[in-house]
Amino acid sequence: MPVRNQPSLDTYITKRDPRQTPEPFGRLTIPVTNKLFVVQQHAASHLHFDLRLEVGGVLKSWAVPKGPSDDPSDKRLAMQTEDHPLDYADFEGEIPPGNYGAGHVIVWDRGTYTPLELQARNFDEAYKKGKLLFEVAGFKMRGRWTLVRIKTKTNKDGRDNTGKEWLLIKEQDQYAVNQGCTFNHTSVLSGLTVEQLKNPAGTKRSIRKKLTTLPTAKQGHPKKPKPMLAKAGDAHNRRGWIWELKYDGYRILAARNEGIVRLVTRNGLEISERFPEICQTLAHLPMADFVMDGELIINDATGRPSFANMQTRARSMTQHQVSVAAIEQPATYYAFDLLHLEGQDLRACPLLDRKAVLRSLVPAQGALRFSEHFADQGQQTYQAAQELGLEGVVGKRQNSRYTTGRSADWIKVRNARSDEFVVVGWSPSKGQKHDIGSLALAEFRTDHYVYVGHAGSGLNISLRETLRHSFKSLARKTPPIKSPPEGLKTTHWVRPKLVIEVSFTEYTPAGHLRHPSIQRQRFDKAPQDCIGRFIPTPDKKASLTSSQPRVQTTNPEKVFFEKPGFTKGDLVEYYRAISPWVLPYLKDRPIVLTRFPDGESGKSFYQRDVPDYVPDWIRREVLWSESTDKPVNYFVLDVEEDLAYVANMGTLPIHMWHSRVQTLDHADWCVLDLDPKVAPFSHVITLAKAIKDLADELELPAMVKTSGATGLHILIPLDQQLTHEQSRTLGELLATVITDRYPDIATIARSVRSRQNKVYIDFMQNGHGRLIAAPFCVRATPEASVSMPLRWHEVKSGLSNTKFHIGNAIRRMQRMKNDPFREVLTTSPDLTRSLSLLAELQKIGQ
């Protein structure tokens, strides 16, 4: 089911329909810059690769003879060819003999790209200059890439290739390898190489040969198979078990038979039309008759499966919305079992045998993935799932058969305590008898529902509105639970039809949930599946003792800043004193250190992973790093002693993420960094005031602080209403307006050589995992300057970064009492209104 005729979304500014998203009201979709890209390997008269970028409703194309390389030193020739229609991005197969380009084609890679430096609407301008810089999110190609035109003359063969010869270059970033190209050359659809595509019979014979080694396989096709389900259990290292990660998505049986691909949920609902990218991959597999079991997921910006994103995709959409979502928010199907293949029913075969055949069927990269497993390592796998913030793990007996229903041969272990409960009633909020304040929850035990308590935490506006509408038709007078406790007179009872996922610390001795917090509604779970797991345990008393000691400064007399003579001890004491002002910005936020063990004039190094020697009381948050393909233990600084510890490590400065660990995929602010380099600081002041005026025009709040180094930081609070990608786009739009108004002193050109002594308005610091110097942090300057929040009337002639340092910052804040920058954490702007005003402003300027 190919994605056809994907329109450009550059000019759309729309408010999301709350019926189609679990996010709170007011979240927006602002102009989208993500575009389709594809690389096809083409065995024509010569084997080559075709790079294609969506521009203006077509695919701009370049033939790359040697293919892309993730080594920046490999500059690959790219010959521009004719444009192709968008639906050609789906093509994999044979171009028949006698046609132009006759030969076989595989989809080598595909995904989205984001133009950098210039918006896609100015592609023609960038094209004329002969340099296209873009960021790619594909299955193989990742990060920043550049196409640079070569100035050439007529070739030896007489053909004039002037303007058609380019170089494709990988930029130096976290995805660069610096050791020669490491890409594999299989299709992300079929998993075949282009040579195997010419003769797929060999691949089919290899897979069929594996089937012959399964003596318990039977002839026949399972009729309407139902999934095997796991019982609750604990992670262990007993022999004879394998362990898989538990993904937070929809359990799906994927089948292909007689040319038709189907995706069916565990409740029997077919959702094939909503996930064309998965169906397209399944349709290209070399075997034409199969049934596999797996989990369908959509990742968030952190690379973790997001159930909220999954629900958005799974709901009813128009064909246009599905086509857009398949590109902008693609799904991944993790296959972990094989029930049927080529007329053979494999359910009676041992699990490891089924998975061995499945592995040979699934591509190495792409939207369809093989779910890896780990033998006899349940506890280690569970620990890894906890560190990565995944839902949990599933343990399976290696020799288990595939049986319908719940079986002790499969066990699931959830990360922390989280489970699904049935909504059996609701209680009104205080003072508003018609508004939902909390939900009455129950679980299924034996043959009836048992009350487990009320939960109100996490009940957001969007969910309350959805539930209020549902409760109208589900209301009943009597409780649907067995032996309801006293004291529920204000509860309005409803029929047990709705399922809610709730996190909690433990069950009380009475069987009620302790510290419940509502996570989300589960549309894919039936009330009867909410099976009770309560086991009576004695009540536990929480320990109130703290294991956190006071940090002792090492070498406190060591001079760290030569000009004023401030010592390492001065640095640590500064952070202790400034902690009431700086900690609100740092709390729950991943941070990265730049360490100067010998002071600001000495050597430095970048520290993002918490070293092993750091004491346990320093908080860590484990996030997955795509650049290193492993988890990273980030520092999180919540209390004064945390600050003192990293200061004692010689940290200059403290850089922080734009989001908190609870909401990593949504930005708290949009930042514009005014970087003067050699431009006069008076121009920085002029542009800062201009940005404030623009923000006032758009009814946007704006806060300003010194960077502590050379420029100014202006932050627009977002209250997590935009993703990081959308925040960067907003920053680019604002920066573009300012550079249009002040072309003589402002630029958005990233290259220092191209700035022409102008102030660089850097919007590229917005993005997932991007960093900004924290307010009040100390910079590595001779003056020990700090990044100081400012009142807007202070942005005037005479302002400088060196004016604020660790010698006067404390007195300033004590005198001011209120931090003028703090509103960046508390203000929730009306972005619907502001983006509409921005759209009107752009129309006027065109």
Side-chain angles (χ1 to χ4, degrees):
M1 300 180 66
V3 179
R4 304 283 183 182
N5 300 324
Q6 160 70 21
S8 172
L9 299 181
D10 283 335
T11 58
Y12 286 11
I13 302 179
T14 58
K15 183 173 182 179
R16 291 185 182 179
D17 185 345
R19 295 169 297 178
Q20 296 190 3
T21 174
E23 297 178 340
F25 292 118
R27 291 244 168 115
L28 306 174
T29 299
I30 68 173
V32 177
T33 56
N34 282 2
K35 298 280 192 177
L36 173 68
F37 98 94
V38 65
V39 178
Q40 289 160 312
Q41 191 179 29
H42 188 180
S45 56
H46 300 283
L47 181 67
H48 66 280
F49 297 75
D50 291 307
L51 168 67
R52 309 188 195 281
L53 305 178
E54 178 194 353
V55 178
V58 299
L59 293 172
K60 292 285 184 184
S61 300
W62 287 262
V64 186
K66 294 184 178 181
S69 171
D70 48 4
D71 186 340
S73 65
D74 291 341
K75 297 176 173 59
R76 299 294 173 89
L77 177 66
M79 296 292 298
Q80 188 171 5
T81 61
E82 70 280 358
D83 297 344
H84 281 60
L86 284 174
D87 58 3
Y88 191 75
D90 306 328
F91 178 72
E92 177 166 311
E94 182 184 11
I95 301 174
N99 292 276
Y100 176 74
H104 290 77
V105 177
I106 63 169
V107 177
W108 184 85
D109 195 17
R110 68 177 294 166
T112 60
Y113 81 97
T114 304
L116 304 178
E117 290 192 354
L118 292 172
Q119 287 248 9
R121 66 175 183 272
N122 291 327
F123 176 87
D124 290 340
E125 182 178 344
Y127 179 82
K128 289 177 183 177
K129 291 182 177 179
K131 184 177 181 180
L132 304 174
L133 179 64
F134 50 96
E135 191 168 39
V136 170
F139 296 114
K140 299 178 184 179
M141 296 174 63
R142 305 284 294 179
R144 298 190 304 275
W145 295 73
T146 302
L147 276 166
V148 181
R149 185 186 291 117
I150 306 173
K151 295 182 180 180
T152 57
K153 298 180 180 180
T154 303
N155 287 1
K156 295 180 180 179
D157 58 6
R159 290 183 299 176
D160 186 2
N161 287 323
T162 303
K164 295 183 179 180
E165 294 188 2
W166 299 64
L167 291 177
L168 176 64
I169 306 169
K170 178 73 187 78
E171 293 288 318
Q172 189 70 53
D173 60 15
Q174 65 266 40
Y175 301 105
V177 295
N178 301 301
Q179 59 184 22
C181 181
T182 62
F183 293 133
N184 77 69
H185 294 315
T186 58
S187 164
V188 296
L189 294 183
S190 64
L192 302 176
T193 66
V194 72
E195 290 300 320
Q196 289 172 329
L197 186 67
K198 293 178 182 179
N199 182 23
T203 302
K204 293 180 181 179
R205 281 195 302 269
S206 175
I207 297 175
R208 287 171 181 151
K209 185 176 180 180
K210 289 183 172 148
L211 283 178
T212 63
T213 65
L214 307 181
T216 51
K218 300 178 181 179
Q219 287 287 336
H221 196 292
K223 295 181 180 179
K224 296 183 178 180
K226 293 184 179 180
M228 185 171 177
L229 303 176
K231 291 188 174 182
D234 296 312
H236 59 76
N237 288 347
R238 294 194 294 271
R239 296 186 63 181
W241 287 74
I242 64 170
W243 296 86
E244 301 167 345
L245 295 175
K246 192 176 190 300
Y247 298 100
D248 198 5
Y250 277 15
R251 180 77 176 276
I252 296 292
L253 291 179
R256 179 181 172 192
N257 183 248
E258 297 180 351
I260 299 175
V261 173
R262 289 187 173 89
L263 302 177
V264 182
T265 69
R266 58 183 291 180
N267 294 327
L269 176 66
E270 184 172 347
I271 57 174
S272 311
E273 293 183 355
R274 301 175 196 176
F275 296 93
E277 69 274 34
I278 303 299
C279 293
Q280 184 184 53
T281 301
L282 294 168
H284 278 84
L285 295 183
M287 311 304 278
D289 179 25
F290 56 80
V291 178
M292 60 180 67
D293 192 359
E295 195 85 2
L296 186 64
I297 70 162
I298 294 178
N299 289 328
D300 61 17
T302 71
R304 293 192 183 103
S306 167
F307 194 82
N309 291 347
M310 186 70 233
Q311 285 184 318
T312 304
R313 279 290 312 266
R315 290 173 183 161
S316 297
M317 289 184 175
T318 65
Q319 185 176 358
H320 167 72
Q321 289 172 324
V322 169
S323 297
V324 172
I327 297 298
E328 294 290 335
Q329 200 175 40
T332 303
Y333 182 73
Y334 280 92
F336 52 68
D337 214 327
L338 188 62
L339 285 63
H340 173 85
L341 183 65
E342 297 291 294
Q344 299 289 312
D345 188 342
L346 309 182
R347 290 177 293 176
C349 301
L351 172 62
L352 283 187
D353 291 345
R354 299 195 305 268
K355 293 200 71 167
V357 179
L358 176 65
R359 185 190 290 273
S360 64
L361 183 63
V362 174
Q365 293 175 292
L368 175 60
R369 308 278 182 89
F370 177 78
S371 182
E372 296 289 348
H373 58 265
F374 308 91
D376 310 325
Q377 300 181 54
Q379 294 174 345
Q380 297 92 323
T381 308
Y382 178 64
Q383 183 179 359
Q386 284 185 307
E387 291 176 348
L388 293 173
L390 300 180
E391 189 180 8
V393 296
V394 177
K396 301 176 180 180
R397 293 187 189 273
Q398 295 180 2
N399 60 353
S400 59
R401 301 174 55 178
Y402 193 98
T403 58
T404 297
R406 211 166 292 278
S407 169
D409 287 339
W410 288 13
I411 60 174
K412 60 181 178 180
V413 187
R414 288 182 179 274
N415 191 356
R417 296 300 292 269
S418 173
D419 215 333
E420 291 85 30
F421 298 91
V422 185
V423 180
V424 293
W426 62 278
S427 295
S429 59
K430 292 182 179 180
Q432 299 183 16
K433 63 180 181 178
H434 298 297
D435 192 19
I436 301 172
S438 64
L439 302 178
L441 305 175
E443 61 186 13
F444 197 72
R445 298 180 190 168
T446 311
D447 59 354
H448 56 270
Y449 292 105
V450 177
Y451 175 75
V452 296
H454 273 65
S457 176
L459 192 60
N460 59 43
I461 296 174
S462 178
L463 183 55
R464 287 204 301 269
E465 184 67 25
T466 300
L467 293 174
R468 188 183 299 115
H469 178 76
S470 300
F471 288 163
K472 291 179 181 179
S473 60
L474 296 177
R476 57 178 286 169
K477 295 182 179 180
T478 58
I481 53 179
K482 186 177 181 179
S483 304
E486 297 181 3
L488 300 181
K489 294 180 180 180
T490 61
T491 299
H492 301 272
W493 302 108
V494 297
R495 285 184 288 147
K497 297 292 185 181
L498 307 179
V499 176
I500 295 288
E501 184 176 339
V502 179
S503 65
F504 59 101
T505 56
E506 59 185 355
Y507 284 97
T508 68
H512 295 171
L513 306 180
R514 190 186 300 278
H515 307 306
S517 178
I518 295 168
Q519 301 299 302
R520 55 206 164 177
Q521 188 173 358
R522 294 297 298 253
F523 298 96
D524 61 323
K525 295 294 180 72
Q528 296 81 6
D529 289 336
C530 299
I531 299 172
R533 295 195 294 161
F534 168 61
I535 300 175
T537 56
D539 198 11
K540 299 178 181 179
K541 294 182 179 180
S543 172
L544 300 179
T545 61
S546 173
S547 60
Q548 190 175 59
R550 182 175 176 85
V551 172
Q552 299 299 315
T553 306
T554 58
N555 299 322
E557 301 302 321
K558 187 175 185 177
V559 175
F560 254 48
F561 304 91
E562 295 182 5
K563 200 168 186 178
F566 292 127
T567 65
K568 184 179 179 182
D570 294 330
L571 177 67
V572 174
E573 290 309 310
Y574 164 78
Y575 271 116
R576 287 191 183 280
I578 204 68
S579 62
W581 286 279
V582 69
L583 284 175
Y585 299 99
L586 299 178
K587 185 175 178 60
D588 294 328
R589 203 177 299 279
I591 63 109
V592 175
L593 316 178
T594 305
R595 294 177 57 187
F596 288 76
D598 296 320
E600 61 85 17
S601 61
K603 294 183 178 180
S604 64
F605 61 94
Y606 186 71
Q607 181 105 57
R608 130 177 117 155
D609 215 334
V610 179
D612 293 338
Y613 58 78
V614 172
D616 292 340
W617 53 261
I618 293 285
R619 180 179 167 191
R620 297 136 165 97
E621 286 292 339
V622 182
L623 305 178
W624 185 260
S625 169
E626 291 186 348
S627 61
T628 60
D629 199 28
K630 65 179 183 180
V632 173
N633 284 281
Y634 281 93
F635 288 92
V636 179
L637 310 180
D638 292 330
V639 296
E640 177 184 321
E641 294 306 312
D642 298 342
L643 273 174
Y645 188 91
V646 298
N648 189 50
M649 295 172 73
T651 299
L652 302 170
I654 297 173
H655 279 103
M656 62 184 186
W657 279 40
H658 302 308
S659 53
R660 299 187 190 270
V661 293
Q662 300 92 335
T663 52
L664 283 172
D665 55 341
H666 283 83
D668 291 323
W669 52 68
C670 171
V671 59
L672 294 177
D673 179 5
L674 303 184
D675 181 5
K677 281 290 187 278
V678 296
F681 197 76
S682 60
H683 290 177
V684 174
I685 294 173
T686 298
L687 293 177
K689 291 180 177 179
I691 293 172
K692 178 62 167 67
D693 291 340
L694 175 60
D696 290 343
E697 288 180 52
L698 302 177
E699 300 179 11
L700 280 172
M703 291 80 198
V704 61
K705 69 182 182 73
T706 64
S707 69
T710 60
L712 295 178
H713 292 158
I714 300 174
L715 272 65
I716 309 294
L718 300 178
D719 191 30
Q720 303 162 17
Q721 296 181 63
L722 301 181
T723 66
H724 293 289
E725 181 68 31
Q726 293 165 340
S727 173
R728 182 167 64 182
T729 302
L730 173 61
E732 182 177 12
L733 293 174
L734 297 174
T736 301
V737 171
I738 296 299
T739 53
D740 288 344
R741 292 180 176 181
Y742 294 84
D744 295 334
I745 64 172
T747 180
I748 56 175
R750 295 179 71 241
S751 169
V752 175
R753 185 179 300 175
S754 303
R755 295 181 191 176
Q756 301 174 340
N757 297 333
K758 300 177 183 179
V759 176
Y760 174 43
I761 306 180
D762 185 2
F763 60 85
M764 293 297 294
Q765 290 195 38
N766 298 287
H768 171 69
R770 300 294 173 89
L771 305 169
I772 184 175
F776 305 105
C777 76
V778 185
R779 303 303 298 260
T781 63
E783 299 83 6
S785 56
V786 304
S787 180
M788 178 58 69
L790 301 171
R791 301 185 185 98
W792 273 106
H793 68 77
E794 294 178 297
V795 182
K796 60 183 180 180
S797 177
L799 175 66
S800 71
N801 274 273
T802 59
K803 184 177 181 179
F804 309 102
H805 48 76
I806 65 175
N808 61 18
I810 305 299
R811 292 195 302 273
R812 169 180 164 84
M813 296 313 300
Q814 290 173 338
R815 186 174 63 252
M816 292 178 65
K817 296 183 179 180
N818 295 321
D819 176 4
F821 204 71
R822 184 73 63 83
E823 291 183 12
V824 77
L825 300 176
T826 59
T827 305
S828 182
D830 184 355
L831 291 181
T832 305
R833 169 72 174 164
S834 298
L835 291 173
S836 297
L837 292 172
L838 180 56
E840 291 299 318
L841 190 65
Q842 288 183 305
K843 290 180 182 178
I844 295 173
Q846 291 177 351

